[in-house]
């Protein structure tokens, strides 16, 4: 770990007396504190103010800088209040229009002033004009470098930021932290004369003040070698810190857990109503190998919805329990904990009983008494399995001997919560093994970058006998038609999920509420009977219902006694009712892609052919947004979770993907995983070598790029 102060360290005593100005505060908020932070704050784009264009030679639509004398300055009221300034550059006249302006504008642009204005030239009946050009008084020489435009925030003018960045650039230590042999091996850095790679100092000076002869395109698409150098630096910092986290973890100890012949693990396998798929066997072996070591496991188990992650988790739990340890299972919500782990608990409970062991549930809604009993069973070690929500990591929970923690839907948990879970054991002098599960497969580039400190096991095969789900798009205007068809489907004994986005009428969003839909479907299915003569029932499930009611509704649906389940997105993850074969998602255009895929994964779990209907409601102009269209199209085109994840990454970028991990974790600012894979591969290959060969430089590099932020990567 870099042991230097984080970037927000207190300023020296003298500075503390003086309150920060608004722009200083804004700088701090952007994390621009140390000179190096400023030096690494790179332009978004550039403006060319090095040249003047004569209006007589200009072309319509060009962005140009002109210089001239103001010959008129007046406020017009029609067709809209605006400031109209006439500028004469000696070759022609141009009207500058400002729709928002202050008295200071009028003063600076008063008749007789010589100014430079920069903007897009428009032609027209009345000659040239520019709308809201940038302008300044025409004093001094033209700049000889392109003018950088920096990412900024409210209260931080570009001019102030430019000065601050240049000052940072002068003061920061810019010495290279990447050894020459590593740079030589990096693709794309060596276009400079003689094949010498760009140094950090050269690259930074160049990017902050590029000369006007540089093709703007190479700067703006960031393919220029100076940009490549910066991106390589950034990716290397990320890889170094993750390698370091991995190394530090490898110095900690965890209990070695081995499956015993004839033990719980084998008993569980024998009791299962199915045989494992090859993919399940493979990942179960990977996990078993980790558990048998004294280095704490730090593994992500990923697999598409329905791929059968739960049984793999149960096998790991069996090994830990068999060895006399405790296992904790966490899911983000109560209903998910129940739905997802219900099966696992059902498998293990009968096997635990003969050993005098129990299962403890910890949930928010428990009575004090029930909770106290659970806490006691956990502390005494009688509870071999502890299942619940965040309640599992609360202060009062004391484990007897926790050896394995399983976290479902890991992206929904915050870093702090994962750290707290691990801390549960550290006072005992060991770390728990950690297995995180996710139904949102992480695209390869993300796994290589943000998740480089995790080992990943992938279930890439669905259990046999599943028929692929057919996905259909349907405009909301054809809702009645859909309901009529559902009636026929239900009459044939099919079970239907109907997912609504909101439970209360919200005028602003105009979403249909689940309660109204429930009433509507109940009416539509009136008089319909199942084969056994019992009436086809429509149930309602939403997040504000008491836990016991939710449970009762789910139980009825799971038993087949209920034909249609109208629900808000509480069913998103973890619900397992293999007989359900129709999924209707209302306002599908409002859901994220991975959420849609998760919801769709609730059907297609049994042998019946399943359908997923995506009802969408275009806006008043009859249109869907581009990204909504992309999401719906992706759903129709593929059922493959990896392909969905890849497209989701394209549509939303990595920030959303990383979920809770993103908060506080430094996202890549410059590198783009879609285009910079070559640099990522390079950083991945060199990070461990640099940590071995030049640890001091490696630490300096991390400190420069990550400051105090690298702690987050360890969770
Ligand atoms: P997920 O990966 O989404 O958590 P689950 O673990 O809930 O998937 O499994 C989905 C369904 O498939 C469950 O009903 C489970 O019992 C069943 N299942 C799991 N593995 C197999 C298998 N090898 N053969 C048949 N069914 C299986
Ligand atoms: Mg699951």
């Amino acid at each position: 770990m870099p042991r230097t102060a984080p970037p927000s360290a207190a300023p020296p005593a003298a500075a503390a007396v003086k309150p920060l100005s608004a722009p200083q505060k804004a700088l701090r908020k952007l994390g621009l504190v140390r000179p190096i932070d400023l030096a690494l704050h790179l332009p978004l784009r550039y403006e060319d103010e090095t040249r003047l264009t004569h209006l007589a030679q200009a072309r319509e639509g060009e962005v140009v800088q002109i210089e001239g004398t103001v010959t008129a300055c007046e406020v017009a009221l029609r067709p809209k209040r605006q400031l109209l300034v006439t500028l004469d550059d000696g070759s022609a006249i141009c009207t500058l229009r400002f729709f928002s302006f202050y008295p200071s504008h009028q003063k600076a642009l008063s008749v007789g002033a010589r100014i430079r204005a920069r903007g897009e030239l428009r032609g027209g009946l009345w000659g040239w004009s520019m709308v809201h050009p940038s302008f300044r008084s025409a004093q001094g020489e033209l700049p000889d470098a392109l003018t950088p435009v920096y990412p900024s925030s409210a209260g931080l003018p570009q001019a102030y930021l430019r000065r601050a960045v240049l000052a940072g650039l002068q003061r920061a230590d810019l010495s290279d932290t990447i050894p020459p042999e590593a740079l030589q091996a990096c693709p794309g850095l060596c276009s400079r004369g003689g094949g010498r790679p760009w140094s950090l100092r050269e690259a930074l000076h160049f990017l902050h003040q590029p000369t006007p002869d540089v093709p703007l395109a190479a700067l703006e698409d960031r393919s220029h070698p100076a940009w490549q150098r910066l991106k390589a630096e950034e990716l290397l910092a990320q890889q170094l810190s993750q390698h370091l986290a991995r190394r530090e973890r490898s110095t900690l100890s965890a209990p070695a857990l081995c499956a015993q012949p004839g033990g719980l693990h084998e008993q569980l396998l024998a009791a299962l109503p199915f045989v494992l798929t090859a993919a399940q066997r493979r990942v179960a072996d990977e996990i078993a190998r980790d558990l048998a070591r004294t280095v704490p496991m730090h593994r992500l188990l990923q697999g598409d919805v329905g791929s059968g992650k739960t049984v793999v988790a149960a096998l790991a739990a069996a090994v830990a329990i068999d060895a006399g340890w405790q296992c904790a299972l966490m899911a983000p919500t109560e209903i998910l904990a129940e739905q997802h782990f219900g099966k696992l608990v059902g498998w293990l409970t009968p096997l635990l009983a003969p050993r005098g062991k129990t299962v403890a549930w910890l949930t928010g809604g428990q009575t004090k008494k029930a909770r106290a009993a659970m806490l006691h069973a956990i502390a005494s070690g009688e509870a071999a399995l502890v299942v619940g929500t965040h309640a599992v990591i609360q202060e009062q929970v004391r484990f007897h001997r926790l050896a394995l923690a399983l976290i479902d839907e890991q992206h929904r948990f915050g870093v702090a919560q994962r750290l707290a879970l691990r801390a549960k054991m550290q006072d005992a002098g060991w770390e728990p093994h950690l297995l995180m599960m996710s139904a949102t497969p992480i695209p390869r580039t993300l796994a290589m970058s943000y998740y480089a400190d995790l080992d990943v096991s992938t279930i890439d095969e669905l259990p046999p006998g599943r028929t692929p789900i057919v996905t259909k798009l349907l405009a909301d205007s054809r809702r009645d038609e859909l309901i009529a068809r559902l009636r026929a489907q239900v009459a044939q004994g099919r079970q239907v999920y109907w997912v609504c986005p909101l439970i209360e009428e919200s005028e602003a969003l105009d979403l249909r509420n689940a309660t109204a839909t429930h009433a509507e479907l109940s009416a539509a299915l009136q008089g319909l009977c199942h084969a056994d003569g019992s009436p086809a029932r429509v149930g309602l499930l939403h997040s504000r219902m008491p836990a016991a009611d939710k449970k009762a509704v789910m139980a009825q649906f799971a038993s087949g006694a209920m034909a249609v389940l109208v629900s808000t997105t509480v069913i998103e993850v973890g619900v397992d009712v293999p007989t359900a074969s129709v999924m209707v998602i209302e306002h599908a255009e409002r859901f994220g892609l991975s959420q849609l895929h998760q919801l769709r994964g609730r059907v297609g779990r049994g042998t019946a052919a399943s359908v997923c209907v995506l009802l969408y409601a275009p806006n008043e102009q009859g249109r869907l947004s581009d990204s909504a269209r992309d999401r719906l199209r992706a759903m129709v085109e593929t059922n493959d979770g990896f392909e969905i994840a890849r497209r989701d990454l394209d549509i939303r970028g990595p920030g959303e993907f990383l979920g809770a991990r993103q908060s506080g974790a430094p996202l890549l600012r410059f590198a783009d995983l879609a285009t910079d894979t070559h640099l990522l591969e390079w950083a991945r290959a060199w990070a461990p070598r640099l940590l071995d060969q030049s640890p001091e430089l490696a630490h300096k590099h991390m400190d420069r790029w990550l400051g105090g932020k690298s702690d987050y990567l360890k969770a």
Side-chain angles (χ1 to χ4, degrees):
M1 269 310 305
R3 303 214 185 275
T4 39
S8 55
V17 184
K18 217 165 93 190
L20 293 179
S21 68
Q24 280 170 325
K25 278 190 199 150
L27 279 182
R28 195 151 282 231
K29 226 169 160 181
L30 287 177
L32 304 179
V33 180
R34 307 172 300 174
I36 188 69
D37 299 330
L38 286 156
L40 296 177
H41 192 64
L42 292 176
L44 277 178
R45 58 187 173 82
Y46 302 90
E47 282 175 357
D48 188 353
E49 294 177 333
T50 62
R51 271 180 297 218
L52 291 175
T53 302
H54 281 292
L55 283 167
Q57 268 107 53
R59 280 193 310 264
E60 166 146 28
E62 263 185 321
V63 175
V64 294
Q65 178 171 237
I66 55 177
E67 181 175 316
T69 307
V70 175
T71 56
C73 175
E74 59 192 33
V75 176
L77 296 174
R78 259 165 251 258
K80 220 175 133 185
R81 194 176 127 84
Q82 53 186 288
L83 180 66
L84 291 178
V85 176
T86 311
L87 194 69
D88 183 347
D89 83 342
S91 74
I93 279 171
C94 181
T95 307
L96 314 181
R97 267 176 220 282
F98 300 88
F99 293 104
S100 69
F101 55 93
Y102 297 100
S104 60
H105 280 91
Q106 281 162 277
K107 197 160 159 241
L109 295 167
S110 54
V111 173
R114 266 200 82 71
I115 62 156
R116 285 179 198 144
R118 189 174 178 282
E120 186 182 326
L121 260 191
R122 299 189 188 174
L125 213 47
W126 314 107
W128 293 119
S129 72
M130 281 184 187
V131 178
H132 275 273
S134 59
F135 68 89
R136 63 176 75 191
S137 146
Q139 279 160 358
E141 302 204 345
L142 288 170
D144 52 14
L146 297 174
T147 308
V149 180
Y150 291 103
S152 187
S153 63
L156 187 56
Q158 282 292 329
Y160 184 95
L161 187 51
R162 269 178 212 138
R163 280 196 305 276
V165 167
L166 284 185
L169 196 60
Q170 299 310 326
R171 283 172 37 220
D173 166 13
L174 301 179
S175 57
D176 264 41
T177 44
I178 308 180
E181 67 273 21
L183 288 174
Q184 289 294 347
C186 185
L189 301 190
C190 296
S191 74
R192 187 143 258 215
R196 187 174 66 77
W198 287 63
S199 73
L200 178 66
R201 173 184 303 278
E202 288 163 343
L204 282 176
H205 276 275
F206 176 81
L207 291 176
H208 285 296
Q209 301 164 296
T211 50
D213 57 320
V214 180
L216 262 184
L219 283 181
E220 287 182 350
D221 72 10
R222 303 190 172 180
S223 62
H224 192 279
W227 264 119
Q228 297 284 310
R229 166 79 205 231
L230 267 296
K231 296 201 262 194
E233 289 249 333
E234 179 180 44
L235 287 165
L236 183 64
Q238 189 192 44
Q239 292 292 319
L240 283 170
S241 89
Q242 298 211 12
H243 270 277
L244 202 61
R246 187 185 275 270
R247 285 184 185 193
E248 290 192 351
R249 196 174 307 110
S250 73
T251 65
L252 304 170
S253 20
L257 309 169
C258 299
Q260 300 303 321
L264 199 54
H265 178 267
E266 276 185 18
Q267 290 170 23
L268 174 58
L269 275 177
L272 288 176
F274 47 75
V275 290
L276 297 186
T277 61
Q280 283 171 317
R281 274 203 308 276
R282 175 173 46 75
V283 300
D285 284 347
E286 287 165 3
I287 293 166
R289 273 198 296 277
D290 280 1
L291 291 178
R293 297 172 62 208
T294 54
V295 174
M297 170 166 71
H298 194 63
R299 188 171 283 278
L300 177 70
L301 171 58
Q302 61 176 12
D304 209 346
V305 210
S307 62
K309 295 183 288 295
T310 317
V311 65
V312 175
L315 288 167
V319 173
I321 293 168
D322 216 15
W325 296 82
Q326 288 172 302
C327 174
L329 303 174
M330 284 211 296
T333 69
E334 213 160 298
I335 189 158
L336 296 185
E338 226 154 87
Q339 285 296 324
H340 192 166
F341 295 129
K343 207 159 215 170
L344 186 153
V345 170
W347 286 327
L348 285 173
T349 310
L351 304 176
L352 291 179
R355 296 160 196 248
K357 298 285 182 190
T358 59
V359 177
W361 286 86
L362 283 180
T363 55
Q366 245 159 0
T367 65
K368 269 220 170 90
K369 204 171 144 206
R371 188 175 168 79
M374 293 295 180
L375 288 178
H376 183 262
I378 298 167
S380 73
E382 181 199 320
L385 202 57
V386 182
V387 188
T389 57
H390 306 147
V392 171
I393 49 168
Q394 271 162 12
E395 199 59 42
Q396 317 89 306
V397 185
R398 293 263 172 276
F399 286 90
H400 180 59
R401 302 179 79 197
L402 179 68
L404 173 64
L406 298 164
I407 304 184
D408 199 15
E409 297 307 323
Q410 61 87 27
H411 58 283
R412 293 210 186 179
F413 279 98
V415 168
Q417 288 157 348
R418 289 204 297 264
L419 284 174
L421 181 64
R422 291 174 53 195
K424 280 274 165 222
M425 294 193 50
Q426 279 164 340
D427 41 349
W430 62 74
E431 283 266 315
H433 293 287
L434 192 58
L435 181 64
M436 295 169 257
M437 293 184 268
S438 173
T440 307
I442 301 169
R444 201 180 79 92
T445 49
L446 277 193
M448 278 168 60
S449 55
Y450 291 97
Y451 290 89
D453 64 329
L454 271 187
D455 296 309
V456 180
S457 289
T458 306
I459 307 185
D460 52 6
E461 169 187 17
L462 291 180
R466 306 256 167 101
T467 41
I469 307 162
V470 175
T471 301
K472 296 203 162 126
L473 286 183
L474 201 67
D476 194 49
S477 52
R478 295 174 62 191
R479 199 179 150 88
D480 291 345
E481 211 177 298
L482 172 67
I483 293 176
R485 293 189 59 175
L486 283 184
R487 201 181 140 90
Q489 301 270 307
V490 169
Q492 289 168 21
R494 288 198 179 226
Q495 280 183 288
V496 180
Y497 288 107
W498 186 298
V499 178
C500 310
L502 266 190
I503 64 157
E504 269 167 31
E505 200 74 63
S506 151
E507 282 174 11
L509 293 174
D510 189 28
L511 295 170
R512 286 171 202 273
N513 71 61
T515 319
T517 304
H518 176 247
E520 183 184 6
L521 291 176
S522 300
L525 265 57
Q526 193 111 54
L528 206 61
C529 288
H530 291 299
D532 65 359
S534 61
R537 295 177 43 211
V538 181
L540 176 63
L541 189 69
H542 61 75
S543 51
R544 307 234 177 122
M545 283 162 62
D549 293 4
K550 284 186 202 164
K551 216 166 158 176
V553 170
M554 276 316 305
Q556 284 178 27
F557 189 65
S559 73
M562 186 177 279
V564 180
L565 180 62
V566 176
S567 160
T568 57
T569 49
V570 288
I571 66 158
E572 184 190 340
V573 204
V575 177
D576 187 21
V577 180
T579 48
S581 60
V582 181
M583 167 66 67
V584 179
I585 304 174
E586 258 195 274
H587 278 292
E589 77 283 357
R590 297 195 192 269
F591 288 86
L593 187 49
S594 74
Q595 211 181 3
L596 288 172
H597 181 65
Q598 299 271 341
L599 284 168
R600 174 169 62 183
R602 299 302 116 204
V603 295
R605 301 193 150 212
T607 42
S610 294
V611 293
C612 172
V613 180
L614 303 175
L615 273 180
Y616 65 92
N619 65 13
E620 279 132 44
Q621 287 83 47
R623 302 240 307 263
L624 284 174
S625 73
D626 285 350
S627 74
R629 195 158 345 109
D630 287 348
R631 291 194 299 270
L632 297 180
R633 183 179 303 141
M635 284 293 289
V636 173
E637 286 174 0
T638 179
N639 261 320
D640 172 358
F642 276 93
E643 177 61 15
I644 293 275
R646 205 190 53 70
R647 296 210 197 177
D648 206 18
L649 183 64
D650 283 351
I651 297 171
R652 295 194 300 177
E656 302 272 340
F657 237 93
L658 298 169
R661 177 165 268 236
Q662 114 199 61
S663 55
L667 283 178
L668 293 170
R669 284 181 286 164
F670 307 131
D672 176 348
L673 296 176
T675 54
D676 300 326
T677 324
H678 60 293
L679 297 175
L680 177 59
E681 305 267 10
W682 168 84
R684 216 158 86 103
W686 279 88
R689 291 170 69 171
L690 296 182
L691 277 174
D692 289 335
Q693 289 165 11
S694 34
E696 271 169 29
L697 280 181
H699 278 102
K700 186 170 168 189
H701 188 84
M702 277 183 281
D703 184 40
R704 175 180 279 174
W705 277 91
L706 302 173
K709 295 183 203 133
S710 48
D711 247 359
Y712 282 94
L713 294 168
K714 291 168 129 195

